[in-house]
Amino acid sequence: MNEFFTSLRAAFEPAGADEAGRIFNTYWFVAFAVATTLAYWLLRKPALRLSFLAIACVLFHYHFAGPAGMAPIIVLGILTYLIGLSRHRLACVAGIVVAVLALCFYKYAHFFVLDVLGLINPAWGQAIEKAARASLPRIASPEGGTFLFIPPLGMSFFAFEFVHYLYEVRKGAAPLKNPLKFVLFSIFFPSLVAGPIKRFGQFIPSLEAGAAGVNADDVAVGFRRIAMGFLKKVVIADNLTGYLELNLGTYDHPNLGNFAGAGLVLRWFYLVLVALRILFDFSGYSDIAIGLARLLGIQLPENFNWPYAARSIQDFWQRWHISLSSWIRDYVYIPLGGNRHGAVRRIVNGLIAFALCGLWHGAAWNFVVWGLYHGIGLAVCATYRNVPGVGRLLGWMFGKFPALAWLVTEVFVCIGWLLFFYPLQSALLMATQLFGYTR
Amino acid sequence: MSQTPEKIVRSRLARHAFSLVVGLAVGVFLHYLLYRLGLPVQPFIYVAF
Amino acid sequence: MTIKEIFQTLRAGMVTRTVLAGIVIGFVGLCLLGRRASRTPAMERFVRFTQYTSNESKYYVTVNEMMSIVRAKIKPGQILVVVGGNSILRGVAQLPDQLWTQKLQDRLGDGYCVVNFAFNASLITDAASVAAEALAKEFPRQIYIANAAPTQAPTPGGSLVYRWVYWDAYYKGLLIDDPARAKKIAANMAFRIPQPDGSFFYPFKGNIQELKLASWLDSWCYFNDFWNDVAYSDFNTIWNPLMPGLVDFMQARSNWRDPDPDGSLFPLTVRFPTETRDGELVNIRGNSDRAFNKDPNGVWQAYLPLWDDVFQRGIEDIFPPQLKARTLILLSGTATYYNKWLTDEERERDRITYEEAVRRWKLGGFDALEYGRDFAVEDHFDRTHLTKTGAAKLADVVAPKVKEMAQKLGYLK
């Protein structure tokens, strides 16, 4: 018996850092998901199911994030829950600010200090970094090293969900009184690491419905989605990644010579593969998360809807990472004024929203530029028809030949992925080489 | 337009056959997945987020 | 109708219970087929593992595959000779028909069956030793051969790189119960080195939890045997830089030819380049520089903390006691080419280190043999690996020893 408990305790020890990027791709996760799902099905009372699920989610979070990764989320979560309960509008704003500051600290401090401040004066950036390292508290991370400037697992998603929660409560939505449900909203294991970004108004009713009963449809659809997600990830995306990294290098070591040396057709072929790789990797992840939740009878929001079938940039963002783009729309673009204050404000608001969207994807300049690139694309997309002559002609052509609209959209989106995967200068060089420029 | 009983049976059979094929494919793939997880895998792209 | 609409129609037409039944049938059916595959030899004309049938190209051979290879190859009454160890014994720089294990088979004759299960950089305790142990009941008349550097004590249960075979066999119940080895493996897993920032580094642990879980699951579902069989015989699903095409990588691994070249065709200037000579000499000196020191009277003294505490204790529990006597350790000598760059004293220290290693292995209950000191310059492909002439000489040295061991172990009665 003692041996059993020792093994059980060992099973939930914090995982190594290398597992943070693989979570669904580990045997630990497979065993955890199978055991959790079976136990959840066997429990019949909704309250028991929810309690069990909450315990499982805590164990999941502990295993992959470790105590150091859980600590900031627990603090933020308790704060968000209590502020929500108070329904105090100012407190909600303060809570939103805290969540955003936490995100900035963990994810962007390094970027702000070294890349932004470093642009002005590199010595200042390094001095601040050194002082911060000396003075800020250190918490040992599970895999050695210290937990300073290292974002807790899923930080970007936690911050967005907490901001959404407090924003809605501030607007008048009823807060979650049941702490169990708040815990499940915060650390629901299928979506804990990388979304889809949930809305509590949709998630809680679905959670309750799942606890009340899981039907055969849920199970069949769940398995199908999980299988589809893994197929996209391990069969398509991983093989493409290996191939692309061999031929085009990585972010840190882009193989520009190979790209320039390839013929024009091959360059475009590489570009298509880059686009397919990110689609299958990320939508594969979302499928797995959605499928896992569905096995528990819970519906998560869809994240992708055939994005490469889009016929305009606007259309693309209604199909790509939907839970993020709708979050940006509701909690950045609209609060900034949206399209309510004329064309110029609308464009500026869009650019700000998309620059933030880019920055959310990673703390580096190439992500900011990628966001702005799409912001500009959207602005052009929304206004070009008003330009007499060329604009109207283009509008007419795209209406008459949808395939042309599709082609232009895909070329725009695919070129954008170069900014996503490679350093700014390399991406720009590769983009020019797509059009025959080689020097 | 109403369907003849024969057509209904045929359509039902086709649906079952298709469903079985889909189920088999999922089952086979889940078995493959257990094998694949033991080999080196690329981290998910979300690591960058 | 768009593709999306077609998918929607197909989804709507599915019968839930039939889908679920299909999932169960598909999964369980493959587990059963995997069990069958685990007993069916896929590599029928096996000579050695190549880069296409090793972890270098993401192919993780199972213990059952290795056992099947032996079963397919061995004839009734033959003594089984399993060869493990690293790239030297795998036969890097030897074509399949030049391979030293083929020569060994020729010299031993029909009474023996030699199989080469060596992998690049693998240790004495890695894959081949596991396969031999798993076959010990079925083929008790067996000799296991592996090589090592003179002061190298292997990790029980295998190295971090190859230990999957040990855990594969462990969870399939194929290993001999050995509490002393189990204790040592557990102690290795718990061994940790404090780091300056207060954390710990576990040099032997790796991701052992995942490996154990995978092996346990495989002992029920046989996914490794099934899908390895598919990858080898039908189609490969994992891209890797050794099979680099976007489509080519899908070919069955059996289609890829053994790529090792004939090392004897390379000129000596390529095999022993002057630019890397100093580095190689550092490696050669490293074999012995901690093993022996001269005392004030000029007499060589063994450095006992290394020999007693690390080496002798290190080799103590690597195998179950009953398998030690059938194990022949080959201590791989370095290329004769480098001899002239060593001082007389360094050559002497090297010689007595190898002698001491042989003595220590024998003291531990194993048999051991040093080779290579009298080889010609041409017999080596580089500092350690052998060309076809070196391969033949190695077979000449090992064959009589194997026969002697077989006699001593009572296999010839």
Side-chain angles (χ1 to χ4, degrees):
Chain A
M1 202 62 181
N2 258 350
E3 203 177 310
F4 172 76
F5 282 114
T6 314
S7 313
L8 199 67
R9 210 181 64 188
F12 286 103
E13 272 177 10
D18 65 312
E19 280 185 51
R22 303 199 291 123
I23 292 173
F24 289 163
N25 276 343
T26 58
Y27 288 103
W28 189 95
F29 181 76
V30 170
F32 168 84
V34 169
T36 303
T37 307
L38 286 176
Y40 180 89
W41 287 345
L42 288 172
L43 295 171
R44 290 290 172 185
K45 288 190 173 166
L48 269 180
R49 275 189 170 171
L50 291 183
S51 309
F52 169 77
L53 192 57
I55 293 168
C57 291
V58 170
L59 289 173
F60 172 91
H61 194 195
Y62 177 76
H63 178 73
F64 285 111
M70 278 182 100
I73 305 305
I74 292 173
V75 173
L76 265 185
I78 292 174
L79 198 71
T80 305
Y81 175 68
L82 293 177
I83 289 174
L85 276 186
S86 77
R87 304 183 82 158
H88 193 281
R89 286 168 62 88
L90 205 61
C92 286
V93 174
I96 290 171
V97 170
V98 170
V100 172
L101 284 179
L103 179 64
C104 289
F105 172 74
Y106 281 112
K107 197 167 162 182
Y108 302 112
H110 196 264
F111 173 69
F112 284 141
V113 168
L114 290 184
D115 291 66
V116 180
L117 201 61
L119 263 188
I120 307 163
N121 187 335
W124 293 353
Q126 281 160 9
I128 291 176
E129 161 111 349
K130 206 175 158 189
R133 282 196 181 281
S135 59
L136 285 170
R138 291 175 167 219
I139 308 167
S141 78
E143 189 62 12
T146 49
F147 201 70
L148 180 68
F149 287 136
I150 303 168
L153 184 70
M155 184 65 206
S156 311
F157 295 86
F158 282 118
F160 273 29
E161 289 188 348
F162 289 156
V163 167
H164 140 75
Y165 178 77
L166 292 172
Y167 189 93
E168 294 302 328
V169 170
R170 185 181 165 275
K171 261 176 60 184
L176 292 171
K177 287 188 179 148
N178 184 338
L180 201 65
K181 287 180 184 169
F182 185 81
V183 166
L184 282 166
F185 168 65
S186 305
I187 57 167
F188 181 57
F189 80 86
S191 62
L192 184 151
V193 186
I197 300 166
K198 306 184 293 294
R199 303 292 178 98
F200 78 102
Q202 291 156 357
F203 177 72
I204 298 299
S206 182
L207 182 74
E208 286 161 351
V214 183
N215 60 38
D217 259 352
D218 289 328
V219 178
V221 173
F223 274 123
R224 259 178 25 219
R225 284 300 285 267
I226 291 170
M228 183 53 78
F230 275 112
L231 180 87
K232 287 177 180 177
K233 169 63 182 160
V234 300
V235 177
I236 304 175
D238 276 4
N239 285 333
L240 283 179
T241 303
Y243 178 78
L244 286 168
E245 285 185 354
L246 182 78
N247 288 289
L248 301 186
T250 59
Y251 180 86
D252 293 324
H253 304 285
N255 189 348
L256 295 176
N258 210 20
F259 192 75
L264 205 58
V265 175
L266 189 54
R267 280 181 223 153
W268 281 95
F269 179 63
Y270 283 145
L271 187 72
V272 171
L273 295 187
V274 167
L276 291 178
R277 180 243 160 141
I278 186 169
L279 170 68
F280 285 120
D281 197 305
F282 197 30
S283 75
Y285 172 86
S286 297
D287 283 337
I288 300 165
I290 290 166
L292 284 165
R294 194 67 191 267
L295 285 182
L296 307 171
I298 298 161
Q299 299 216 17
L300 289 179
E302 288 295 334
N303 235 4
F304 292 86
N305 179 23
W306 299 79
Y308 294 152
R311 289 178 191 166
S312 70
I313 312 300
Q314 249 164 346
D315 189 15
F316 174 77
W317 279 102
Q318 280 160 9
R319 294 161 174 267
W320 180 273
H321 204 170
I322 301 164
S323 68
L324 172 73
S325 51
S326 59
W327 191 98
I328 299 266
R329 180 197 63 209
D330 294 345
Y331 302 113
V332 179
Y333 180 70
I334 292 176
L336 280 173
N339 54 7
R340 298 191 299 275
H341 305 285
V344 176
R345 272 290 296 276
R346 174 179 162 185
I347 289 169
V348 171
N349 291 341
L351 285 177
I352 293 171
F354 268 87
L356 290 175
C357 170
L359 197 57
W360 179 89
H361 283 85
W365 285 116
N366 62 314
F367 289 117
V368 180
V369 175
W370 174 76
L372 285 170
Y373 172 82
H374 272 277
I376 292 167
L378 268 172
V380 172
C381 188
T383 52
Y384 76 96
R385 282 170 201 266
N386 301 334
V387 178
V390 181
R392 290 212 178 126
L393 178 68
L394 278 174
W396 174 82
M397 275 171 67
F398 290 153
K400 184 87 180 158
F401 307 106
L404 187 65
W406 171 80
L407 188 68
V408 172
T409 306
E410 296 325 302
V411 167
F412 179 86
V413 168
C414 290
I415 290 173
W417 293 132
L418 293 176
L419 292 164
F420 198 92
F421 283 109
Y422 302 100
L424 201 48
Q425 279 188 323
S426 307
L428 292 176
L429 191 65
M430 288 160 96
T432 55
Q433 285 166 349
L434 283 169
F435 297 95
Y437 173 82
T438 44
R439 183 173 61 86
Chain B
M1 200 169 73
S2 65
Q3 285 193 314
T4 61
E6 198 183 315
K7 266 189 179 171
I8 291 171
V9 170
R10 221 182 280 165
S11 138
R12 201 177 286 170
L13 268 178
R15 284 177 60 196
H16 277 288
F18 176 67
S19 306
L20 187 69
V21 169
V22 170
L24 284 173
V26 171
V28 166
F29 183 76
L30 292 178
H31 190 263
Y32 170 77
L33 181 65
L34 289 179
Y35 160 76
R36 184 64 185 83
L37 295 185
L39 309 175
V41 288
Q42 300 280 349
F44 278 100
I45 200 95
Y46 66 67
V47 171
F49 300 169
Chain C
M1 218 178 193
T2 63
I3 299 174
K4 191 181 161 185
E5 285 162 350
I6 293 169
F7 271 85
Q8 278 168 346
T9 312
L10 290 175
R11 270 201 291 267
M14 274 189 249
V15 185
T16 301
R17 282 176 200 283
T18 314
V19 173
L20 291 174
I23 293 173
V24 175
I25 295 167
F27 190 84
V28 175
L30 252 62
C31 294
L32 296 173
L33 286 175
R35 204 177 156 79
R36 205 181 74 169
S38 74
R39 292 163 189 177
T40 319
M43 300 181 191
E44 280 167 352
R45 290 185 302 278
F46 177 83
V47 177
R48 65 174 158 188
F49 291 115
T50 70
Q51 63 182 32
Y52 303 115
T53 47
S54 77
N55 56 327
E56 290 161 44
S57 63
K58 302 182 186 174
Y59 186 91
Y60 290 73
V61 72
T62 68
V63 71
N64 276 321
E65 277 180 279
M66 294 163 91
M67 290 168 78
S68 295
I69 289 168
V70 170
R71 287 190 194 112
K73 197 171 178 189
I74 198 163
K75 291 176 198 143
Q78 283 186 320
I79 294 168
L80 174 63
V81 179
V82 176
V83 174
N86 59 27
S87 54
I88 303 173
L89 297 198
R90 195 179 73 77
V92 162
Q94 296 156 29
L95 296 176
D97 62 339
Q98 301 169 342
L99 205 57
W100 85 275
T101 38
Q102 303 291 82
K103 306 292 170 204
L104 181 66
Q105 179 69 74
D106 295 344
R107 282 151 183 72
L108 289 173
D110 262 354
Y112 296 81
C113 171
V114 181
V115 281
N116 187 334
F117 284 161
F119 281 100
N120 293 347
S122 86
L123 302 179
I124 292 164
T125 46
D126 280 331
S129 78
V130 178
E133 185 178 332
L135 288 162
K137 253 190 201 160
E138 200 175 340
F139 302 104
R141 296 194 313 151
Q142 63 164 247
I143 287 168
Y144 171 60
I145 303 173
N147 67 329
T151 56
Q152 181 188 27
T155 330
S159 60
L160 270 178
V161 182
Y162 290 100
R163 62 183 179 177
W164 84 81
V165 189
Y166 175 86
W167 292 105
D168 178 25
Y170 175 85
Y171 281 105
K172 293 208 170 83
L174 296 168
L175 296 180
I176 295 168
D177 189 33
D178 182 6
R181 176 171 61 183
K183 203 174 151 193
K184 203 159 189 175
I185 291 173
N188 274 348
M189 295 301 156
F191 179 70
R192 59 188 198 175
I193 302 166
Q195 300 296 293
D197 64 2
S199 62
F200 293 96
F201 170 60
Y202 293 80
F204 299 111
K205 198 175 172 188
N207 204 342
I208 190 69
Q209 193 186 50
E210 275 290 282
L211 180 57
K212 282 182 171 181
L213 197 51
S215 307
W216 177 76
L217 281 170
D218 189 51
S219 70
W220 291 95
C221 302
Y222 289 87
F223 42 82
N224 285 329
D225 282 309
F226 181 84
W227 291 102
N228 264 7
D229 190 12
V230 170
Y232 184 78
S233 309
D234 305 308
F235 60 89
N236 174 50
T237 55
I238 296 113
W239 184 92
N240 64 82
L242 294 173
M243 300 152 87
L246 191 57
V247 177
D248 281 356
F249 83 90
M250 292 184 218
Q251 280 183 54
R253 285 169 184 263
S254 55
N255 286 357
W256 296 78
R257 290 183 57 188
D258 189 331
D260 268 297
D262 177 354
S264 64
L265 300 178
F266 289 68
L268 289 178
T269 47
V270 174
R271 283 146 67 176
F272 306 107
T274 44
E275 311 85 69
T276 58
R277 188 197 302 141
D278 287 345
E280 298 290 31
L281 287 168
V282 169
N283 286 327
I284 294 168
R285 291 183 189 113
N287 279 333
S288 62
D289 59 2
R290 290 187 307 129
F292 278 90
N293 298 307
K294 265 190 175 168
D295 66 14
N297 301 323
V299 179
W300 288 108
Q301 297 293 339
Y303 181 59
L304 294 179
L306 171 73
W307 288 110
D308 288 348
D309 301 341
V310 179
F311 187 82
Q312 202 70 56
R313 279 177 60 188
I315 63 173
E316 227 165 52
D317 301 315
I318 57 169
F319 294 145
Q322 60 268 45
L323 296 186
K324 287 183 181 173
R326 63 70 156 128
T327 303
L328 172 62
I329 305 297
L330 299 179
L331 295 155
S332 305
T334 45
T336 309
Y337 167 82
Y338 291 103
N339 262 344
K340 61 182 169 190
W341 307 100
L342 297 173
T343 63
D344 286 346
E345 194 167 272
E346 284 168 342
R347 271 196 292 273
E348 177 65 5
R349 190 181 63 195
D350 192 70
R351 186 184 62 75
I352 58 171
T353 299
Y354 274 78
E355 280 175 8
E356 180 66 7
V358 169
R359 192 181 77 78
R360 293 277 177 165
W361 276 108
K362 287 183 174 173
L363 199 65
F366 304 84
D367 214 330
L369 182 71
E370 180 202 347
Y371 75 85
R373 202 162 290 280
D374 55 345
F375 282 15
V377 170
E378 294 74 21
D379 294 338
H380 274 90
F381 173 66
D382 54 23
R383 177 172 59 84
T384 54
H385 300 106
L386 301 170
T387 57
K388 61 182 178 186
T389 53
K393 284 183 183 174
L394 176 60
D396 287 340
V397 176
V398 174
K401 185 71 183 175
V402 169
K403 286 181 178 170
E404 181 198 314
M405 284 175 74
Q407 179 76 46
K408 211 159 57 177
L409 291 162
Y411 292 171
L412 303 179
K413 275 176 200 162

